[in-house]
Amino acid sequence: MLVYTLKRLGLALLVTLAVSMLSFALLYLSGDPAAAIAGETANAEDIEAVRVYYGFDRPWVVQYGEWMFNAIRGDFGESYYFKLPVSQLVAERLSVTMLLGVCGISFALLTAVPLGVAAAVRPNSLIDRIALFLSVMGQAMPSFWFGLVLIVLFSIKLRILPPSGSDSWQNFVMPTIVLGYYAMPAIMRLTRAGMLDVLGADYVRTARAKGAGEFRVMFKHALRNAIIPVVSLAAVQMGFMLGGSIVVESIFALHGAGYLAWESIGRNDLPTVQALILVFSMFYIVFTFLSDLLNAWLDPRMRVG
């Protein structure tokens, strides 16, 4: 188990390094950052002065090495647009994104798991078909379109929820539904498949033969074993959701890290964009790493080895 953990940790660090290097290269090779900072009215001398001031005239490898060295110490530079330390900007906005992610995965689990259990208990029934319909819709429907539909319905037509902002809990209702609905299909299908497997297991039939009630059989014997891979999947989905919060936060104007990324991209604020790419990729890498460790810990062969 220790060897496996060290291997996965080493792989996670290599992936983080590769993501940071690739994103740095794509951002700085996609155009001239000095021209973007100087503005459209700047002449060649102004652009060259900006290039020298920010160090863009140095080799790309040198720029990346300096940025990575500072990033390890938590220094991501200064925002070109906000004129504030990037680490301060990200820290201020990250709490909103984390809250949205926790609410989204909680909504997905509280909705998808009961539907998956009900669909497995009564296969090919109406509830099973409803769960299948919701699963297909969750995969096919773009999150930005779903968000706009909710705004039109609950904010414009019914006027019961605010369309944007992050001042109260009401501002998080629709973003939570949109973000959570993205993770529902996979969790629902996995719960249904796991329940169908364990309901036919010998220990479940034995529990029923001993006279255990149906509720006890379902939740103590069946669901407790079927939920193990769902917990692992939820960890991966959490990383996806935090990284995908850019679209949701932009639609609902939630001032989180995702909205900050959208603002920074539109204003060519490269240090902020680079830092957010690293943060979002770290979310996915960390939660995937935790998911792998959970799977290994639950595997008896890995625990013995």
Side-chain angles (χ1 to χ4, degrees), residues 96-107:
V96 175
T97 301
M98 293 297 295
L99 177 60
L100 179 60
V102 171
C103 292
I105 196 65
S106 300
F107 172 80

Side-chain angles (χ1 to χ4, degrees), residues 151-170:
I151 290 175
V152 171
L153 179 60
F154 292 105
S155 299
I156 298 177
K157 298 294 184 182
L158 300 178
R159 296 185 179 181
I160 59 177
L161 291 174
S164 62
S166 55
D167 298 328
S168 68
W169 65 268
Q170 293 176 318

